[in-house]
Amino acid sequence: MNCCKTNNEKINNNIWQEILSLDAKFNFKRITQNSQLRTLYLRRRTQIMRENSVKCKDEDTLQKRRDYLNLRTQILEQKFGQSFENSSLNSYSLQNRSRANNKTSTVDSISLNLDMKDNFSRKLNNFTNMSSILNPKISNLNLSRESLHSNQRSVNSKQNYDELFCGQVNHVFNNHTGSVTGVKFANNDRSLLASCSFDGTLAICQVIPTPATMIYKLEGHKAPIMDMQWSTTNDLIVTASLDATARVWQVTKGKCMRILRDTVNSEIFCCCFLPINENMIFTGNSKGLIQVYNLSTGIIASKNCLQKVNGKVQAMCFDSTGSNLWVGDNNGAVHLFQFNIYNLKLNKTKKIISNNGYSITSLSFKHLNSKESALLVNSMPNFLLLYKLINSDIQSIRLRKRILIKQNELMIKSTFCPVINKKQQNSSLVCSGSEDNCVYIYDMDFDEDPLIVKLEKHEYPVIDVGLNYDLSLLASGDNNGTVIIWKMNNQT
């Protein structure tokens, strides 16, 4: 009887996960204008899934839910068009609606047909040694004429940036006794901020309205926390720790809901949610192992989703489609993996970038427009690098800008600044910490003097930075445990 109940629960969980994944795939097509409404919709659907998945259902109810999933799939595909074409296990294409022009465009199309794999591998052979592209003098920076014109139109004058960024200190938090290793605002939220620290704690704060206050200080890790990320719906946070565990925290309740233990008992340096299904969590450890966990069960999702690189996995990030995973290690390499959500298989493609053995400490990915994407990299020693791709084609990756920053010893991180108006749609505005105790904002499309803002109130090296979605506030955490909230414009 218990065995039957357990099987029904597993089937029930799988059905609800498929329903949530289906909603996430069509979310951009259903709600094209309001990003906050998309987030609220997915949050509510996730809550319903959790409330119902804990209940064991009989076979009749499970069959009704299967019928509901099939019917909902048909209705959404008839109304919005098929989100996935040729969706067999061997071949599929990902399509997404561009936020800039609300027109359907292909953002990533990689055939998984076995007959295409050899051809794909041959195309990637040109990237076995990418160290030469780190030198702008010998780099081939020939972007398409159309994308270059688009970038030129998107660059604002520095006078406009001076009006946009005032850089005033709004609040100072001293919630941590060790170095701050991560600061991140919640998705599409102006006020919720989370910070993690070398002291093993996670702090959740509300910075608007004033005065800013700490809501929770969550303890549980037995060693330093190295990385953290909000879920898409902002109701969960995942943290990665050197105690060989990742923990998932419920934001509203302020407690740990799941402990994910590393399969080889190794230190975990980085973590992230799968963008289109927050039930999948990815981690990278000190032995170079990339693992995918099922949040519902707390164990590895599948043996097919275990991959390994040479060196410690110190940074990882997804693109918005959830199909491409970028991974950086302490040997200076950036690897690209493709994740198939249907068979839970993580496929390693190729080492894309090699930085001559120097450590990669941060990765961020952004779709600039329907044709162009960018990858932001922090690399020791002293490099902030911006790479660009055309049509998500790996072969088109080129170094667009290299900036010298102070970084010799610490895990300095950076991020893209959010887009707040159409003029900035294609811009490469980035923010980075530094070991010289300053916060820097650059426009990477300026060929000369890309520095826009320099903030100088920290007394210790700035490890990580984060901005809220409307660019009104910036948070920066330093090596002494201090988090400064900066007011970035006069309309906050």
Side-chain angles (χ1 to χ4, degrees):
M1 187 68 179
N2 290 334
C3 180
C4 179
K5 182 178 180 181
T6 302
N7 291 334
N8 285 346
E9 288 177 347
K10 291 181 179 179
I11 296 173
N12 187 38
N13 287 338
N14 291 335
I15 294 175
W16 277 108
Q17 289 172 25
E18 291 181 23
I19 294 173
L20 179 62
S21 177
L22 178 69
D23 288 336
K25 286 188 293 186
F26 284 93
N27 203 24
F28 283 105
K29 295 185 178 183
R30 296 178 67 256
I31 309 171
T32 60
Q33 300 291 338
N34 193 326
S35 60
Q36 286 185 328
L37 187 57
R38 287 197 296 266
T39 300
L40 291 174
Y41 174 78
L42 283 180
R43 181 182 298 176
R44 180 54 184 156
R45 294 291 287 176
T46 304
Q47 291 172 348
I48 295 174
M49 181 192 74
R50 287 185 184 142
E51 292 171 359
N52 288 274
S53 62
V54 297
K55 304 174 184 177
C56 181
K57 301 296 182 180
D58 54 29
E59 289 294 335
D60 291 339
T61 306
L62 292 177
Q63 185 58 44
K64 290 179 181 179
R65 289 182 178 171
R66 293 190 190 97
D67 295 339
Y68 168 78
L69 174 61
N70 294 332
L71 181 60
R72 186 170 180 81
T73 302
Q74 294 174 13
I75 293 174
L76 289 174
E77 288 180 349
Q78 288 177 3
K79 186 171 183 179
F80 300 105
Q82 289 193 357
S83 179
F84 288 81
E85 296 178 354
N86 301 325
S87 55
S88 64
L89 292 179
N90 291 332
S91 177
Y92 73 92
S93 298
L94 280 177
Q95 291 187 339
N96 196 3
R97 181 173 293 266
S98 171
R99 294 185 183 181
N101 55 19
N102 293 330
K103 294 180 180 179
T104 303
S105 61
T106 301
V107 298
D108 186 23
S109 179
I110 300 177
S111 175
L112 295 183
N113 192 290
L114 297 177
D115 295 334
M116 299 287 289
K117 286 185 177 180
D118 293 338
N119 185 39
F120 186 65
S121 299
R122 287 194 297 270
K123 290 181 179 181
L124 288 174
N125 285 338
N126 295 329
F127 289 88
T128 54
N129 184 8
M130 295 295 292
S131 59
S132 62
I133 66 175
L134 295 175
N135 187 348
K137 293 182 180 180
I138 63 175
S139 298
N140 182 7
L141 302 180
N142 293 324
L143 300 175
S144 68
R145 181 178 301 177
E146 180 180 352
S147 65
L148 283 174
H149 289 332
S150 176
N151 285 335
Q152 291 172 357
R153 289 194 299 268
S154 68
V155 174
N156 291 334
S157 67
K158 289 198 173 185
Q159 289 79 8
N160 291 338
Y161 280 133
D162 291 338
E163 296 175 0
L164 181 63
F165 299 125
C166 62
Q168 301 174 357
V169 174
N170 187 60
H171 191 83
V172 177
F173 285 110
N174 292 294
N175 299 327
H176 302 290
T177 58
S179 172
V180 174
T181 54
V183 288
K184 287 182 174 64
F185 280 94
N187 301 298
N188 298 315
D189 192 295
R190 299 180 66 212
S191 62
L192 273 182
L193 174 74
S195 61
C196 59
S197 170
F198 217 73
D199 63 10
T201 64
L202 172 70
I204 301 174
C205 305
Q206 183 168 331
V207 296
I208 297 176
T210 56
T213 58
M214 181 175 67
I215 304 173
Y216 294 113
K217 186 174 184 179
L218 306 179
E219 300 178 350
H221 282 294
K222 307 301 181 184
I225 299 175
M226 301 304 295
D227 193 19
M228 55 157 285
Q229 190 184 65
W230 290 85
S231 66
T232 305
T233 54
N234 295 333
D235 55 347
L236 300 175
I237 295 177
V238 59
T239 54
S241 172
L242 299 184
D243 64 4
T245 69
R247 288 177 177 252
V248 182
W249 309 84
Q250 289 181 301
V251 176
T252 55
K253 297 181 179 179
K255 67 177 185 179
C256 178
M257 67 168 289
R258 184 74 70 190
I259 300 177
L260 310 175
R261 303 188 185 279
D262 190 84
T263 57
V264 293
N265 197 32
S266 181
E267 298 172 328
I268 301 178
F269 279 86
C270 53
C271 58
C272 63
F273 286 98
L274 180 66
I276 61 174
N277 185 354
E278 63 184 28
N279 196 55
M280 297 293 173
I281 296 176
F282 290 67
T283 65
N285 69 19
S286 61
K287 294 184 178 179
L289 193 62
I290 301 166
Q291 302 172 91
V292 186
Y293 292 86
N294 186 313
L295 176 58
S296 299
T297 62
I299 60 176
I300 295 296
S302 170
K303 293 182 179 179
N304 292 330
C305 54
L306 294 177
Q307 285 289 351
K308 195 177 188 304
V309 299
N310 295 324
K312 300 177 181 178
V313 180
Q314 297 189 150
M316 60 171 52
C317 69
F318 269 103
D319 65 2
S320 60
T321 67
S323 61
N324 293 323
L325 175 66
W326 300 86
V327 173
D329 62 34
N330 68 326
N331 292 328
V334 176
H335 309 263
L336 178 62
F337 295 83
Q338 265 97 41
F339 182 65
N340 186 338
I341 195 173
Y342 289 106
N343 58 15
L344 301 181
K345 188 172 183 179
L346 188 64
N347 299 301
K348 183 177 181 180
T349 58
K350 205 75 172 178
K351 182 166 64 174
I352 305 301
I353 300 167
S354 180
N355 193 21
N356 298 325
Y358 293 107
S359 182
I360 303 295
T361 62
S362 176
L363 293 173
S364 296
F365 188 88
K366 178 183 178 182
H367 289 287
L368 300 177
N369 51 54
S370 61
K371 294 185 177 181
E372 196 172 21
S373 306
L375 180 69
L376 184 64
V377 182
N378 279 84
S379 175
M380 294 185 188
N382 306 322
F383 285 146
L384 180 64
L385 308 168
L386 182 76
Y387 295 88
K388 287 194 174 181
L389 302 84
I390 305 299
N391 293 327
S392 299
D393 181 10
I394 301 171
Q395 290 195 20
S396 71
I397 189 169
R398 296 292 185 269
L399 179 68
R400 176 64 180 88
K401 178 72 72 173
R402 179 178 67 173
I403 293 178
L404 292 178
I405 62 171
K406 182 68 174 178
Q407 182 185 5
N408 288 310
E409 300 177 355
L410 301 175
M411 298 276 289
I412 303 298
K413 300 177 182 179
S414 61
T415 185
F416 285 100
C417 297
V419 174
I420 60 174
N421 56 51
K422 292 184 178 180
K423 292 182 179 181
Q424 295 177 344
Q425 182 67 42
N426 302 328
S427 67
S428 303
L429 204 62
V430 303
C431 183
S432 178
S434 175
E435 290 182 10
D436 64 1
N437 309 346
C438 297
V439 178
Y440 293 93
I441 296 179
Y442 299 98
D443 190 327
M444 304 295 265
D445 289 320
F446 279 123
D447 291 329
E448 297 182 2
D449 191 18
L451 179 63
I452 303 300
V453 177
K454 180 180 179 180
L455 306 177
E456 303 179 278
K457 294 297 182 180
H458 282 280
E459 298 180 358
Y460 295 86
V462 179
I463 305 299
D464 195 15
V465 292
L467 299 103
N468 62 358
Y469 80 98
D470 64 355
L471 208 58
S472 60
L473 295 175
L474 182 151
S476 55
D478 67 28
N479 202 37
N480 193 47
T482 299
V483 175
I484 296 181
I485 309 300
W486 306 84
K487 182 179 178 181
M488 296 308 294
N489 63 60
N490 294 319
Q491 298 178 357
T492 305

